Amino acid sequence: MQSQGLPEPTTQAETDDRPRAVDHYLSVLDSTLAYARRRDYSGPDYGDGMSSQLLQAAPVENRFVNLVVQELVKRTPVNIRPLLRVEDRRNYKGTALFTMANLNFDTYTSANEEVERRFDPRAEADHLAQWLVNESLEGYSGFCGGHRHEIQHFHTKGVPSDPDIVSTAYGVKALVQATEHGLGNEYAEIARTAVDFLIEELNYREVDEGAKIDYHLNHPDDSYTLNSAALGAGMLIDLYEHFGDEDLRERATKILDHVAANQTDIGGWPYRIPADASHLSMDSHHNGFIIEVFQRYRDVIDAGRYSDTLEEALEFYREELFELDGAPNFDESNAYPRDIHASTQGILVFTREGDLEFADRILRWVLANLQVEGEEGRFYYRQYRHHMKRVTLMRWCQGWMSYAMSEFLLACQAAGGQETALDSEIDVEHLESTPHPNA
């Protein structure tokens, strides 16, 4: 797909008229949520090739065959899931994202009497939050969640009953926000028990540089996943902010001490340590996860403890993982593929940093390059150098875009409604940019 061109920057003349940039973004958010509602928040997901009914019917199971099918589904330019009979499902983390996006939509539109709502976002959020509770995994020490399809890792296979800290952390975040939105204290109380899951099932242990936790129950012993550890600390920060338990703050600090100690000299983090334990390097959205958690620690607990870590990370993130026009780079060495999840995480990081102008650039890049032409609120997964991955993933595309846009709009509202950096004149076509080395 050819780029549709970046939207023209908002000029002062346009700020005196309607529709304005924020109005357009609200319309896109509304359409993104509508796309998900029409499909009951179910759809294709990243890495769901193992759900192929044809693969399930194979007379024998082989992990290399599993990997081939899974990666073929993931990487083929067109959507071959119908051919392989891959079942559409709700994703646990995706449902958490949609819960929070609906809550944010309710908050934003409740404060704007000019907006005519076509649905009840509060009721949607309550329904989704209850689903998160009902579909949490049983038989563990506390609240937890995981992917709802098998995933073939190189060493092990994740199964639907295998919980992980990433899915759990976003479930906790959504349930706490549901309580804070007035949907019932029971949501946060249930989420609070996830601490027991983190400590007991994910092997929380103190080490010389702080503390470590496992990503999931079957993680290999010869490597350690840094971004999932950071998200576990982020979960503890969310619960500490709501409940105030000092133990949560102390454990979050120790986990982040270890993550900070493994920051590289250029400011980013590899996916795993040792770095050669994963095919991923310092990719964009996983580094964004880590940065956002350090931002949360700064904003909720202590602004000084990780100030140098965060400053170096943000410099690396902006200079190496994004172009000046808002295009996301895949990692520190490769521009492509340009992934929508990298964009959404960038929107979240720069929104939290108060840099609404750069968050706006990223958002406009997505709308110009990854939004399906003629279908407002529907997004493609990845842009490669010579082709587009023409598939809309419910969590990876729709869930993350709805959540990121809703957080951005709330930040604009808090900054004074329309009087934000969105009203500045940005001539992105003439920005002096140093191209990514492999652009």
Side-chain angles (χ1 to χ4, degrees):
M1 184 180 79
Q2 298 295 317
S3 169
Q4 300 171 38
L6 282 167
E8 290 298 320
T10 306
T11 66
Q12 185 58 47
E14 290 169 329
T15 64
D16 297 329
D17 201 1
R18 296 283 182 178
R20 303 174 68 173
V22 171
D23 296 318
H24 175 62
Y25 295 154
L26 182 62
S27 175
V28 175
L29 173 59
D30 194 5
S31 298
T32 306
L33 290 172
Y35 179 95
R37 283 198 312 279
R38 289 194 298 269
R39 293 159 178 80
D40 198 27
Y41 303 94
S42 299
D45 190 42
Y46 181 86
D48 62 356
M50 287 283 290
S51 297
S52 164
Q53 294 181 16
L54 298 183
L55 182 64
Q56 298 286 341
V60 295
E61 180 173 335
N62 181 282
R63 79 180 159 109
F64 292 105
V65 173
N66 291 345
L67 283 169
V68 168
V69 172
Q70 180 175 277
E71 295 307 305
L72 188 66
V73 169
K74 187 188 300 182
R75 300 177 189 278
T76 304
V78 296
N79 185 15
I80 63 172
R81 287 171 176 81
L83 295 176
L84 297 177
R85 299 181 185 176
V86 176
E87 181 183 358
D88 286 347
R89 292 189 179 96
R90 280 189 187 181
N91 176 271
Y92 200 82
K93 181 165 62 172
T95 302
L97 296 172
F98 284 122
T99 302
M100 294 185 290
N102 276 292
L103 290 172
N104 288 345
F105 189 90
D106 182 58
T107 299
Y108 185 89
T109 55
S110 294
N112 191 339
E113 297 179 354
E114 298 178 6
V115 177
E116 181 178 354
R117 303 202 298 198
R118 299 183 293 174
F119 70 106
D120 184 349
R122 185 181 176 87
E124 288 292 316
D126 195 18
H127 163 72
L128 294 173
Q130 189 59 56
W131 186 91
L132 290 171
V133 172
N134 293 341
E135 296 296 321
S136 62
L137 296 173
E138 298 180 350
Y140 299 97
S141 301
F143 172 81
C144 57
H147 289 289
R148 294 173 59 77
H149 55 261
E150 292 183 326
I151 299 178
Q152 182 66 62
H153 307 294
F154 189 78
H155 297 287
T156 61
K157 185 171 74 171
V159 297
S161 59
D162 185 12
D164 64 85
I165 188 57
V166 177
S167 299
T168 301
Y170 281 96
V172 166
K173 183 183 287 288
L175 293 183
V176 169
Q177 289 190 20
T179 288
E180 292 174 347
H181 210 81
L183 297 183
N185 291 331
E186 66 274 11
Y187 286 133
E189 291 295 338
I190 291 169
R192 190 179 196 173
T193 68
V195 177
D196 295 329
F197 168 71
L198 181 149
I199 295 171
E200 298 178 23
E201 309 287 355
L202 297 183
N203 190 25
Y204 174 92
R205 66 270 191 196
E206 296 189 4
V207 296
D208 290 343
E209 297 170 326
K212 299 170 69 174
I213 58 170
D214 294 337
Y215 181 176
H216 50 77
L217 276 64
N218 297 311
H219 196 286
D221 295 331
D222 58 355
S223 64
Y224 186 68
T225 305
L226 288 165
N227 75 89
S228 62
L231 289 172
M235 182 188 83
L236 298 176
I237 294 169
D238 290 338
L239 291 170
Y240 169 75
E241 184 179 33
H242 185 79
F243 290 107
D245 297 344
E246 286 300 309
D247 179 64
L248 302 177
R249 177 188 60 78
E250 293 172 3
R251 291 182 188 274
T253 301
K254 290 178 180 178
I255 294 172
L256 289 181
D257 280 350
H258 180 263
V259 174
N262 283 278
Q263 186 177 29
T264 65
D265 292 341
I266 63 173
W269 286 268
Y271 181 78
R272 284 181 180 162
I273 49 174
D276 60 6
S278 173
H279 68 285
L280 293 173
S281 182
M282 299 182 202
D283 69 287
S284 185
H285 81 265
H286 288 117
N287 269 266
F289 282 163
I290 296 174
I291 292 170
E292 189 179 9
V293 173
F294 279 113
Q295 290 174 314
R296 286 282 292 149
Y297 190 96
R298 175 197 63 195
D299 298 342
V300 174
I301 297 175
D302 183 352
R305 187 179 185 92
Y306 303 114
S307 58
D308 291 342
T309 297
L310 187 53
E311 181 180 0
E312 293 173 11
L314 283 165
E315 181 179 0
F316 164 78
Y317 190 61
R318 179 161 181 160
E319 297 299 324
E320 299 296 332
L321 299 182
F322 286 90
E323 301 294 342
L324 284 179
D325 66 355
N329 294 321
F330 187 77
D331 60 24
E332 79 281 14
S333 301
N334 299 282
Y336 291 93
R338 301 197 189 277
D339 191 302
I340 193 167
H341 195 347
S343 294
T344 56
Q345 190 58 41
I347 293 168
L348 290 166
V349 165
F350 292 111
T351 294
R352 180 169 293 280
E353 201 59 24
D355 191 349
L356 298 182
E357 185 272 330
F358 198 70
D360 178 49
R361 288 192 206 178
I362 300 172
L363 180 50
R364 286 190 289 121
W365 186 90
V366 173
L367 297 183
N369 292 275
L370 294 179
Q371 185 171 226
V372 178
E373 191 168 4
E375 294 189 52
E376 182 181 80
R378 180 188 171 198
F379 300 92
Y380 286 138
Y381 160 45
R382 278 181 174 175
Q383 181 189 72
Y384 289 82
R385 189 184 305 276
H386 302 299
H387 72 275
M388 181 72 68
K389 178 69 173 179
R390 296 176 182 273
V391 60
T392 299
L393 304 177
M394 187 58 74
R395 164 181 61 111
W396 202 271
C397 301
Q398 303 303 109
W400 278 111
M401 274 301 291
S402 63
Y403 178 55
M405 280 192 292
S406 68
E407 288 284 310
F408 176 75
L409 285 171
L410 284 180
C412 291
Q413 190 176 67
Q418 309 293 337
E419 301 301 323
T420 69
L422 301 184
D423 295 332
S424 63
E425 297 188 29
I426 308 165
D427 187 359
V428 293
E429 293 183 2
H430 295 90
L431 285 170
E432 295 182 1
S433 174
T434 302
H436 197 279
N438 284 335

